[in-house]
Amino acid sequence: STQAAQPRYELQLLNPAKRIVEVMPNAGIDLPEDIEEASEKYKKLRALIRETFESFLRSLNSQSLRWLEQQFEQYGGDLNSGSFLRVFSRVCPRLETLDFPRYEERKLAVHLAVLKLFQGMDVDQSGEASWMEFVEFISAVAEELRLKAQELSGQIFEFGASSIIPLYRPTVTKCHYDKIFYWPDHPIECAVVFEEGQAGFHLHRQQTMARRRRVDGHQSELLAACFLPAPFNIVVTAGNDKMMCFWDSAFNLVKRWTLKDVVGVLCWCPEINALYAADHFTERFWAWRIKDELTIKTSGPGPLKPDKSLEFRSGHTKAVQAMRWLEPLQCLATASLDTTVQLFDLVLLARSHVLQGHTKGLTCLEFCPQNQMLLSAGFDNYVAIWDPSAGTLSHKLMGHECSIAGIIKMPETDYEIMSVDFDGIVRLWDVRRLCCIQSFHATDRRAEEAGEIERLETRALCALDRDRVVISGRRMVVFERDASDPKLTADWPINAVAFNHRLLEIVTPIKNDLYVWDALTGQRLQIHDNVIDGNITAMGFGLGERRIFVGADDGGLSCINAACGALLKELTPHAYEVTQIECMQGKILTLSSPEKVIQIHDDTDPKKAFVLKVIDVSTAGVVLRFAHDFKEMIVCSSEEGDVFWYNMDFAKQVSDTSHCVVNHQQASFCCKYFSEAPLIVSADAEGSALFWSVPPLRTYDFFNKVILNLAGTEGGTAGITSLSLSWPDENKMYVGSDRGGLACVDISRVVDSAKRQKKEILLRKESGEAEDVISGRIFDSMPRPCDHPDYVFELENIWFVEKAHKHSVDSMICCKRNPAVLITLGADACVRIWDNETGESLGCLEQGLPEGLAYERETVWRFPLDPHSQVQDDIDTLSKAAEIEQEDAEFSKNTQQVIPDQTATQMKADEAKLVKAVGPPKQEKDVLQQLKPKKSSSTPALAGGHSQSRSAMSSVGGLSPDPDWSKVMPKYLEPARVYGGMMDPKDFYAGPAAPGFGTEKGMALPRLQSGMTRPPAEKTKKVLAAARALAVSLGDVRNSKDLGYGQ
């Protein structure tokens, strides 16, 4: 009954009258009636589509690629959308998921993923995709997926010298601060510093490393310390005086134990309430059970008796230098000078593993609980990563050139490790990628050698928080890095924002990268790295939203594939920073305010662009913004408050507002054309919006002035920095202020008046007054707008958000979809969405913390969605793409008839050439297939005898029988063939096995199976480079299961 109540969305062909092939019969999805439940299921469907798309790229192998290339050759080198869906759906894996148990739902996800692939390739919207476009596209996407998996495209904050400079020095000359401890859970935020040869220790403030006080209690130098967290909140220290001291949260002495041995290492095991201690000179270690604080306080001057059940026969042959408690495994790890790490299982009370691999003694040990990685280091110059569960060595982090003094796991993260050696070289490691992400010197070597500063002679490393570390030796130095604010969209200024209505994605430029966000969930999907040399200052989607045009602060201009970030073409650059980019049919408009020019670029060629016109806007002063009517006119707003109009065809100014009775008195930051009403609106720093009339109304003249109240509780005047119009009626105007305010105003009074006058003028033109309309005499009988309350008035806000952003609202987009949503970009580096009807905040794009760090969103992301209409739109788009005409059937029918234009002699000559090239054809239709005109001259097609016929592919469901790869003979076992009278049995090899590898000859592709020659090598270098990039990107990926063709 539940399923019966759910609406069913199925694929239906839009034009059943045509002879078409139905690509996906019976595919559909059931959505619940409840909007929230349906929205969640639709979001999961979009996630499944992305996972299927990425899984397809990861599962590509040599067999599937060879089969796909043959399909492209069969179709003459190009596949239209219908053919593409039919071919690629056979090699695209169907992922098993509990959210979509029905076969038809998973099938829909597969076809939508294939359609996404086709649209990503077909950026010029030609309706076809070639093999070369496929290779280039998947190479670019595979590289992005590889970077995403390795987090190479994430923001890396590097450590640098801190402004905090501790001026303290050890009491004894040439001694060291040999140990530093900091426990984040301790009630007092302070670092504990041990000084060589001193019986007391110092407390330093965590934020400034300023010294708080000295704590005394021992009689000789200190060797070890550990912290017993709540409910104890006790610090334990051990020294060379054979004593252990227990300190409360205020570092008051609670208890002192006198021991028989010198304790060199301490380790607290909270789950079993055990305190382990290791002898400083021998391999012995033991433990005490400490159930509560009272157990410590009531003990005598001597220590508690060690718990025999927690003791192990060490197994080490030399002194233990480090111990770590492995909580997930309930094991104790010990590192010794005997080069081994040993694991002791405290559940089985037995030694579980002896980790051997180091060649010299060990002094450092660290554990990453989430990744379950155990790291050890010492005198053999590298950090070893162990799998403590299996007891095996996973990897060695190489790079240090001398003994390692310390390793630490960075707080709040399980993937960053820092190490320092005795030469003062610090390395920051990413254990996910098993590589060093930063290396720096802890001291200035030249200054040390010149005697300007005291030598550091590194001894200890301690993390004060995730972004600050202190390194000690004969002095202390602090290093820190910029902290990422997870509540912001980015840590750097964002100069533009764009919305992809087709994919429901938001794009933000950060530095020279493009960040792509899922508009449905607010999560970051991918990063297009280094799309341009300079920092991106302007951005805009091309028509169809398959390309992104970006401009940089150095004047550079590039066209980027929106799906994979690949460079499509470069545009003629500006001399200075690019301020704005707008796209229209066949043209790209770019503004450089410092250069004072607008360039009009040709966009008819997908591979190259040239400048059609250059409009000099220097007479307008500093142009802040421009807009266009998608035809021939451009309007510009300037810093002086004037508005100018330019004709794109003539690149000349045609008018300005100097003759108007009402003008802006302050800088005009934004302007916009109406699509339905004959109006233009511009807004200024006084909080006023002026409307200007365009034909058929008075040409470029004042129409209305609206005064808005955006000051809020602060009072005064708030200027307008951005605006947008409601969709589709344009009866509301959304404005953002320089104070961060956001308002919605009803402008239907102005819009209706303009539409009414337009209708009246056009009616009078049709009624016989065309001459007066054309000459402008008709306006003599119509009232002229002036500085009068009828034309200059205030409008109340429908809704107003006083602090939508902390700083000015720099840009806004009213999404052209239903339900509509308002997207704003502020100078506070935040992108937010709003309910356009009520002004309610619906969330902010939050960058969060890097992977591995726990973070809870500050805002709830609630992007408005009508899932039922959205899924129907997706299916309609897919249905339209799946419709293909049966051109092949018509062609086959025509080729069976006698061709009247060719003589018998000409046909015999063509047949003789073909036989000489490929051998005698088995059937006459093979020859006719060779004579068939090709769609693309750049990609040779196979002979008909060597390819599957189109009629065979028109089987059940429009799919050909499954290829049986098990019966295909390997190429290296096939006998040598003669191609064109020359024996060349190895021309099919590639890579090092290919003849002429590493030479110009080796750059050529092998011959086709048909025997026909490919284009010259210089014409195929691009596809070769793309194929080589594909091999690098996908070469290490293996599919765990064989692909199910035709399933």
Side-chain angles (χ1 to χ4, degrees), residues 553-591:
D553 54 3
D554 59 1
L557 289 164
S558 296
C559 177
I560 307 300
N561 187 326
C564 64
L567 176 65
L568 298 176
K569 61 181 177 181
E570 293 183 344
L571 285 68
T572 304
H574 283 276
Y576 301 99
E577 176 182 310
V578 180
T579 308
Q580 185 182 353
I581 299 177
E582 295 291 336
C583 302
M584 58 183 294
Q585 186 67 40
K587 297 176 182 178
I588 307 298
L589 313 179
T590 60
L591 164 68

Side-chain angles (χ1 to χ4, degrees), residues 773-830:
V773 172
I774 296 173
S775 64
R777 290 193 300 270
I778 191 173
F779 299 116
D780 296 338
S781 60
M782 301 175 66
R784 187 181 186 90
C786 59
D787 190 2
H788 186 273
D790 290 340
Y791 302 99
V792 180
F793 47 85
E794 295 184 6
L795 285 180
E796 295 294 328
N797 302 322
I798 298 178
W799 52 260
F800 176 64
V801 181
E802 184 170 356
K803 288 296 181 181
H805 289 270
K806 292 182 179 179
H807 306 293
S808 64
V809 181
D810 292 343
S811 179
M812 65 173 59
I813 302 171
C814 182
C815 301
K816 298 179 180 179
R817 57 183 301 275
N818 190 19
V821 64
L822 191 65
I823 302 175
T824 61
L825 166 65
D828 54 1
C830 288

Side-chain angles (χ1 to χ4, degrees), residues 19-249:
R19 299 183 62 188
I20 54 180
V21 177
E22 187 175 356
V23 173
M24 45 171 297
N26 303 322
I29 184 172
D30 296 331
L31 290 181
E33 289 285 356
D34 183 76
I35 293 296
E36 292 186 1
E37 294 180 4
S39 298
E40 290 302 317
K41 186 166 185 177
Y42 182 75
K43 292 176 184 177
K44 293 178 180 178
L45 174 64
R46 297 296 291 252
L48 179 61
I49 293 171
R50 285 193 298 270
E51 293 173 4
T52 303
F53 177 79
E54 295 181 3
S55 178
F56 163 73
L57 295 177
R58 294 190 180 101
S59 63
L60 286 173
N61 53 36
S62 58
Q63 291 181 347
S64 57
L65 287 173
R66 189 177 84 175
W67 184 79
L68 288 172
E69 185 180 20
Q70 290 174 350
Q71 302 307 305
F72 275 96
E73 291 176 347
Q74 278 187 343
Y75 283 86
D78 297 308
L79 294 178
N80 59 26
S81 60
S83 303
F84 193 93
L85 283 167
R86 180 168 57 185
V87 169
F88 277 77
S89 60
R90 298 176 59 187
V91 296
C92 187
R94 295 181 179 89
L95 302 180
E96 298 293 335
T97 172
L98 297 177
D99 295 319
F100 300 96
R102 294 178 53 245
Y103 169 79
E104 291 81 2
E105 294 176 332
R106 298 195 300 272
K107 192 173 183 181
L108 175 64
V110 167
H111 285 83
L112 288 174
V114 173
L115 180 61
K116 178 181 178 181
L117 173 63
F118 177 80
Q119 292 176 341
M121 294 167 52
D122 185 30
V123 291
D124 57 354
Q125 304 182 63
S126 63
E128 292 183 338
S130 66
W131 170 254
M132 186 175 69
E133 290 175 337
F134 170 69
V135 171
E136 292 176 340
F137 179 80
I138 61 175
S139 298
V141 175
E143 180 66 10
E144 278 209 341
L145 292 178
R146 184 181 69 82
L147 295 179
K148 177 182 177 181
Q150 298 184 358
E151 289 294 320
L152 284 176
S153 55
Q155 301 173 6
I156 298 177
F157 297 90
E158 294 189 344
F159 281 89
S162 172
S163 58
I164 300 173
I165 304 177
L167 301 178
Y168 310 105
R169 295 294 182 269
T171 304
V172 180
T173 306
K174 294 188 177 180
C175 284
H176 303 83
Y177 294 115
D178 54 358
K179 291 185 185 297
I180 301 181
F181 304 91
Y182 174 71
W183 302 287
D185 296 332
H186 196 281
I188 299 179
E189 294 185 352
C190 61
V192 175
V193 180
F194 286 4
E195 183 179 334
E196 186 180 3
Q198 296 297 310
F201 58 89
H202 290 96
L203 302 180
H204 291 252
R205 299 183 186 275
Q206 182 257 356
Q207 292 292 336
T208 62
M209 285 304 293
R211 184 170 290 177
R212 298 184 61 175
R213 67 184 179 95
R214 178 185 171 97
V215 180
D216 291 301
H218 285 272
Q219 298 175 5
S220 184
E221 68 175 333
L222 298 165
L223 300 176
C226 72
F227 174 61
L228 282 58
F232 297 93
N233 288 329
I234 287 179
V235 172
V236 185
T237 59
N240 206 19
D241 53 2
K242 297 184 180 181
M243 287 197 303
M244 287 177 53
C245 292
F246 295 82
W247 313 86
D248 63 13
S249 58

Side-chain angles (χ1 to χ4, degrees), residues 601-621:
H601 307 260
D602 176 74
D603 191 35
T604 56
D605 192 318
K607 297 296 182 182
K608 59 183 179 180
F610 57 89
V611 175
L612 297 173
K613 299 286 184 180
V614 176
I615 303 178
D616 182 2
V617 296
S618 58
T619 57

Side-chain angles (χ1 to χ4, degrees), residues 896-910:
Q896 295 177 2
Q897 302 175 358
V898 178
I899 303 176
D901 296 337
Q902 284 194 335
T903 63
T905 303
Q906 183 64 36
M907 291 187 66
K908 288 181 179 180
D910 292 339

